[in-house]
Each structure stands twice: as C-alpha cells, then as structure tokens.
C-alpha cells in the first residue's frame, strides 16, 4: 500500500480543502443568479446532483484540458496531438487545426501493433475488403464469421486453455461475464484495487462481495476462512460458490499479482480463481503468454482467464478462456455474446495476425524481439525514474509505471509542462484513484527507441524539478562518482 509523506498529505488536504471552499462559495452565489434567470425546467429535479457533480463542475473543469486530448494519427511511439483552447476557463474546449508531434507515453500499445505493421496491416485491409467494417449483428445471429472461429482457436492455443469465447468490448467482458458466473448465494472475494469493470460486474451479480487488501495473499486467506466459517448472511448456510478475482497487472499500480500464492490458497479452500489479464497478456512472459508463464503457474489451476485485445494486440474486444463446459455455458447465457454486436472482422484479423507474429508463425523473429524490447524498455525506464527520485509504483517487467503526484495542483502542472515539451503523458485522479493518490501513469511500448526513452526521461526530470514531485533524493550520476574516485586516488 502507498504511504503518503506527512507534509505531502497535509498540503494535499489543504489544497483540496481550498478548492472545496471556493467551489461552495461559487455555488452559493450561483443560486442567487439562477433565481433571477428564467428556466424551462422549473419543477424538475436536477438531473446531475451530488458530490461527483460538484467535483466535475468545480475541480475537474479547471484542469479539463489535461484529459481526453484528441489525436490525429496512429498511437505509435510518436503521435499528433490536436491543440485546443478555451474562452471560458476550461468549461468548454475547442479544437484547432494545429497539431503537436509528441512522444507517446500514454497509450497501451505495448508491443507496437497499434500502428502500421508489415505483417498485420495488409491482412487487416484484405479482411476489410472481404467482410466490411462491421458484422452488424450479434454472434448468435449473423455475426460469426470464419475469422471469429479462427480467432477463438488462436486464443485457445495462445493462452493454453481448452476453449475460449471472444467479445466485442473489453470492459463488457468483465461486467457482463461475472453476473453470469455467480449470483445470489455466491461469494465474490475481490482485490481492493481491481478494475472498475470487475467492480461493476460483481455488483450486478447479486452475490455477496468481500474485499481483501491489495495483493496480500495472507489477508485473502483470512477473509476466505472467516467467510467460510460464517456462511451466508442471516441464514449462515454454506456458500453456493466462491470466486476470487484478481488481475495479472494492476492498471493503476503497475504491480504484478502474487498469483502462485493466490492459487494455492484457492485450492486449499476450494474457491474458483478468476484472472483478469487485460494488461499482462502479450506483454509479459518469455513468449508473451502472460502472468502464468512469467510466474510458472499452470493455466489448469486458473479456472477463468480473462483478457483484452486493446493493449498488446492493437485491436479491440476481450476474451474468456476456460474449460469447454464453461465456454459452452457462456455462449448460451452471456448477454454480451447473445445481444451485443460481435468484434468487427478486421479487428479480429488484427488479433490473429498479432498472435502469429508473437509466436513467430509469421516466419520471422519480430515477436521475440518485441517482447525482449518491451522488457528492456520497461525496466530501463523504471530504474532511471527511481534514480531521479520519483516515487514510482509497480514491479519490474511491468510496462505500466505510475509516478505519484498527490497534490491536485501538480496534476495540471506536470501534464501541461510535459505537453509543452512535446511529451504526452496521462495523468489520473479521482475517481479513477483515491482522492489523495493522484498520479501520472506512464505506459512503455516496444516501439519506443532508446533515444525516445532518454528524451522522455530528460523532460520528465526537468518537469519533476519544476513541479516538486521528486519525493526521494536522487542517486549521484556514475560520471560524477568516477571523478570523485579519481580525485581521492
């Protein structure tokens, strides 16, 4: 868990308190202005109301230019960011015809398939000509093509499970699948920092939800033991089913799940394991097969394997892999399969082609080179950031590395100054993170060259000094150490 430095916590609380006070003051005077103005909605209840609405109007709008920046090129190592301006203090933003060529440190393009690829792109174009841009139907009607069948076979072989089913949206994969797997009388034990799609899926299931401390297997075992002993609320009957939900790489922390320990505990207490590999599949492991390959976990010990195609594969959609009985059941029961439009066929072809490149089935070793490069780039960039004194979350080999900002004033300061120096970063605050734990999330790609990373490090170091987010002392440079050693001799 993140421990906030005392002075940083105090200044962060003070900043939010100041923003809250001024926001309330503005709302107070706004009531008098609205009282004099006529409105066609007299008698209606406000459609937007509550703390979230207040946060959006009085805090988020002040720094709205730091989010949702439109781009006008492929999300490669460098891309074109459309410039915007505002005449009403960021309440509304207007696009211009100008663009800035920026280094891309925000996209999930882990293996570089998000732009033109010599193997994938020609096949995608041919698929577009043959099948069009959309199936215009759900999978069970007229939305299953030969490419979808090939994709499911490809995913099955890649992740190492008996069967798989694919969906048109990664977020909906979690939020639509979990309610199908478990319902009233069941128990979901979820990591405290699981993704919003998992949270919404668990809430929609009707099952009882319990949370364990982030990435702490010992607390997971304690929660499991207590819940099994107590049973269902009020009746104390045994649980019909228990599912433990974890992620391979946590998207806002960059940490790798302690999967071997989680699997061992679930085996001990006869609980099912649901693994979300949205950020880990294709990005880690010797051959890109995810966290099971990286940590040496047998895929047979993971009951439900979920992943998305929006990161390492440069496409869209998600998948569920498991036993043949499970997949057959999902195909008959899951609303995302029965009612939602299937993955566009060109997107499905992109995934197939990317998997073939990763596995070396394209006749080259580019897949192995991409996997080696993403590991080298990620570990190099993380190590250099830590040497500079930044508080960087996450583990080695993870391409996701959050830099802690904390103070709300430092969110726009860091983002705007990086953009001014042609480095595009993603900053994240509430509600995606807890109120006090704002951060900049860096995503590294195999398409980044060493020169790109060095340029980014120089800019981030300079901006970090200006915005005061280097919370640890920087390590002395090797050159300076060598000079000192020579002087001592």
């Amino acid at each position: 868990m993140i421990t906030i430095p005392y002075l940083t916590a105090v200044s962060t609380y003070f900043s939010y308190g100041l923003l809250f006070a001024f926001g309330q003051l503005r709302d107070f005077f706004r009531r008098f202005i609205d009282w004099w103005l006529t409105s066609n909605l007299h008698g209606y209840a406000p459609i937007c109301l509550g703390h979230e609405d207040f946060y959006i109007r009085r805090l988020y709008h002040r720094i709205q230019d730091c989010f949702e920046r439109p781009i006008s090129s492929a999300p490669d190592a460098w891309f074109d960011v459309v410039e915007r301006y505002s005449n009403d203090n960021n309440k509304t933003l207007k696009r211009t015809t100008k663009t800035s060529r920026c280094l891309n440190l925000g996209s999930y393009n882990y293996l570089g398939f998000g732009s033109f690829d010599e193997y994938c792109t020609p096949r995608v174009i041919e698929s577009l000509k043959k099948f069009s841009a959309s199936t215009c139907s759900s999978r069970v009607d007229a939305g299953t093509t030969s490419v979808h069948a090939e994709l499911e076979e490809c995913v099955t072989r890649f992740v190492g499970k008996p069967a798989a089913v694919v969906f048109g949206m990664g977020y909906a994969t979690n939020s639509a699948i979990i309610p199908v797997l478990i319902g009233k009388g069941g128990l979901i034990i979820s990591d405290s920092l699981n993704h919003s799609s998992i949270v919404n899926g668990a809430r929609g299931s009707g099952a009882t939800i319990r949370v364990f401390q982030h990435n702490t297997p010992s607390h997971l075992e304690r929660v499991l033991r207590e819940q099994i002993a107590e049973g269902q609320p009020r009746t104390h009957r045994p649980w019909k089913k228990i599912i433990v939900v974890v992620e391979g790489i946590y998207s806002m922390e960059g940490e790798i799940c302690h999967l071997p320990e989680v699997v061992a505990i679930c085996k001990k207490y006869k609980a099912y394991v649901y693994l979300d590999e949205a950020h880990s599949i294709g990005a880690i492991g010797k051959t890109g097969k995810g966290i099971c390959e990286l940590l040496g976990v047998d895929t047979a010990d993971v009951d439900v394997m979920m992943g998305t195609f929006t990161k390492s594969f440069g496409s869209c959609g998600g998948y569920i892999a498991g036993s043949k009985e499970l997949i057959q059941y999902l195909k008959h029961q899951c609303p995302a399969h029965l009612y939602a439009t299937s993955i566009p066929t060109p997107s499905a072809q992109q995934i197939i082609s990317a998997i073939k490149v990763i596995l070396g089935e394209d006749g080259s070793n580019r897949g192995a080179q991409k996997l080696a490069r993403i590991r080298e780039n990620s570990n190099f960039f993380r190590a250099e950031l830590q040497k500079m004194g930044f508080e960087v979350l996450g583990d080695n080999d993870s391409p996701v590395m959050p830099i802690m900002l904390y103070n709300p004033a430092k969110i726009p300061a860091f983002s705007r100054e990086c953009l001014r120096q042609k480095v595009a970063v993603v900053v994240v605050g509430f509600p995606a993170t807890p109120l006090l734990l704002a951060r900049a999330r860096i995503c590294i790609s195999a398409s980044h060259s060493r020169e790109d990373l060095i340029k980014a490090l120089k800019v981030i170091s300079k901006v970090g000094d200006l915005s005061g987010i280097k919370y640890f002392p920087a390590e002395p440079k090797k050159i300076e150490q060598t000079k000192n050693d020579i002087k001592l001799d």
Side-chain angles (χ1 to χ4, degrees):
M1 303 301 289
I2 303 168
T3 303
I4 310 175
Y6 179 76
L7 291 177
T8 303
V10 170
S11 66
T12 303
Y13 273 120
F14 178 78
S15 297
Y16 275 114
L18 202 63
L19 289 168
F20 180 82
F22 275 101
Q24 291 290 350
L25 193 63
R26 293 177 68 187
D27 277 1
F28 176 77
F29 286 107
R30 172 57 61 184
R31 292 191 192 100
F32 288 99
I33 296 172
D34 290 343
W35 186 75
W36 290 101
L37 298 175
T38 58
S39 175
N40 294 326
L41 297 177
H42 181 69
Y44 283 84
I47 197 168
C48 299
L49 190 65
H51 297 298
E52 289 81 5
D53 177 55
F54 174 82
Y55 178 86
I56 291 170
R57 289 186 294 103
R58 298 307 185 196
L59 281 78
Y60 172 80
H61 278 163
R62 291 171 176 260
I63 59 173
Q64 189 176 188
D65 61 299
C66 298
F67 306 99
E68 302 177 10
R69 288 172 176 154
I71 64 173
S72 59
S73 65
D76 204 359
W78 290 78
F79 61 4
D80 297 324
V81 179
V82 178
E83 296 182 7
R84 298 179 293 175
Y85 71 94
S86 176
N87 294 323
D88 53 6
N89 297 318
N90 269 356
K91 188 175 181 180
T92 58
L93 295 168
K94 297 181 180 180
R95 293 189 297 271
T96 69
T97 56
K98 297 180 181 178
T99 60
S100 297
R101 190 69 174 169
C102 297
L103 180 60
N104 180 11
L105 294 182
S107 297
Y108 301 137
N109 185 27
Y110 296 144
L111 293 184
F113 287 115
S115 59
F116 177 85
D117 183 84
E118 61 188 65
Y119 182 82
C120 300
T121 306
R123 287 161 175 77
V124 171
I125 294 172
E126 287 301 315
S127 175
L128 177 63
K129 292 177 180 178
K130 182 177 180 180
F131 293 99
S132 186
S134 174
T135 61
C136 301
S137 180
S138 65
R139 287 289 305 275
V140 296
D141 294 328
T144 298
T145 67
S146 57
V147 178
H148 291 90
E150 183 184 355
L151 173 59
E152 289 178 343
E153 292 176 5
C154 222
V155 170
T156 298
R157 184 162 44 90
F158 186 68
V159 302
K161 297 293 282 184
V165 58
V166 297
F167 304 94
M169 182 181 177
Y171 187 97
T173 304
N174 276 329
S175 59
I177 283 293
I178 294 175
V180 177
L181 294 177
I182 192 168
K184 189 176 180 181
L187 174 65
I188 296 174
I189 302 182
S190 178
D191 188 288
S192 61
L193 295 182
N194 272 341
H195 191 262
S196 173
S197 60
I198 296 174
V199 174
N200 289 336
R203 288 174 178 172
S205 68
T208 301
I209 303 169
R210 294 293 180 266
V211 175
F212 68 95
Q213 292 175 4
H214 170 59
N215 222 6
T216 309
S218 59
H219 189 246
L220 166 63
E221 183 171 14
R222 188 157 66 249
V223 172
L224 255 173
R225 188 168 56 246
E226 291 173 356
Q227 292 303 314
I228 291 173
E230 292 177 5
Q232 296 184 38
R234 294 188 298 277
T235 64
H236 303 292
R237 293 174 180 172
W239 298 103
K240 294 179 180 179
K241 191 186 302 179
I242 301 176
I243 297 180
V244 175
V245 187
V246 294
E247 294 185 38
I249 293 179
Y250 291 89
S251 58
M252 287 297 169
E253 287 71 35
E255 295 177 359
I256 295 174
C257 175
H258 296 156
L259 188 61
E261 293 88 342
V262 170
V263 168
I265 291 167
C266 290
K267 277 187 174 182
K268 180 179 179 181
Y269 293 96
K270 303 295 187 291
Y272 292 107
V273 181
Y274 184 108
L275 175 63
D276 178 337
E277 286 213 88
H279 288 267
S280 56
I281 191 68
I284 59 175
K286 186 178 180 181
T287 60
K289 295 181 180 179
I291 188 172
C292 290
E293 183 180 52
L294 180 71
L295 301 181
V297 176
D298 188 350
T299 56
D301 293 332
V302 180
D303 302 287
V304 185
M305 297 182 71
M306 176 269 176
T308 62
F309 304 121
T310 56
K311 282 80 176 177
S312 298
F313 307 99
S315 188
C316 64
Y319 69 85
I320 293 288
S323 65
K324 291 183 178 179
E325 294 78 12
L326 170 66
I327 300 306
Q328 192 67 18
Y329 172 76
L330 293 178
K331 287 183 177 181
H332 285 87
Q333 298 292 329
C334 181
H337 183 81
L338 297 173
Y339 307 116
T341 304
S342 61
I343 298 178
T345 312
S347 300
Q349 182 61 56
Q350 165 68 25
I351 303 161
I352 295 169
S353 302
I355 291 175
K356 288 183 177 180
V357 172
I358 294 171
L359 296 176
E361 294 177 3
D362 63 327
S364 72
N365 64 343
R366 288 195 308 118
Q369 290 175 354
K370 285 177 177 288
L371 290 167
R373 198 176 303 120
I374 185 65
R375 283 193 294 270
E376 292 171 4
N377 287 353
S378 300
N379 294 335
F380 167 75
F381 204 81
R382 182 184 303 279
E384 292 300 313
L385 287 175
Q386 291 171 340
K387 289 177 184 177
M388 291 175 182
F390 292 101
E391 183 173 2
V392 185
L393 305 185
D395 299 315
N396 284 337
D397 288 349
S398 170
V400 182
M401 48 199 74
I403 301 174
M404 297 309 298
L405 303 176
Y406 298 118
N407 197 294
K410 295 180 180 181
I411 298 174
F414 185 80
S415 178
R416 289 166 182 165
E417 187 60 26
C418 283
L419 185 66
R420 194 179 69 82
Q421 300 193 38
K422 308 303 180 185
V423 174
V425 297
V426 169
V427 287
V428 187
F430 179 84
T433 65
L435 194 65
L436 301 184
L437 301 182
R439 64 199 67 178
R441 184 177 63 177
I442 306 297
C443 292
I444 299 300
S445 170
S447 61
H448 288 133
S449 66
R450 185 54 61 94
E451 291 74 20
D452 293 337
L453 300 181
I454 292 172
K455 172 183 170 53
L457 288 166
K458 289 179 180 178
V459 170
I460 291 174
S461 178
K462 183 178 178 181
V463 177
D465 290 328
L466 291 172
S467 55
I469 59 172
K470 293 184 177 180
Y471 297 105
F472 299 103
E475 290 185 11
K477 295 181 180 180
K478 292 182 179 180
I479 298 174
E480 294 177 358
Q481 287 179 334
T482 306
K483 289 181 179 179
N484 292 334
D485 293 339
I486 293 172
K487 289 180 180 178
L488 290 172
D489 292 335

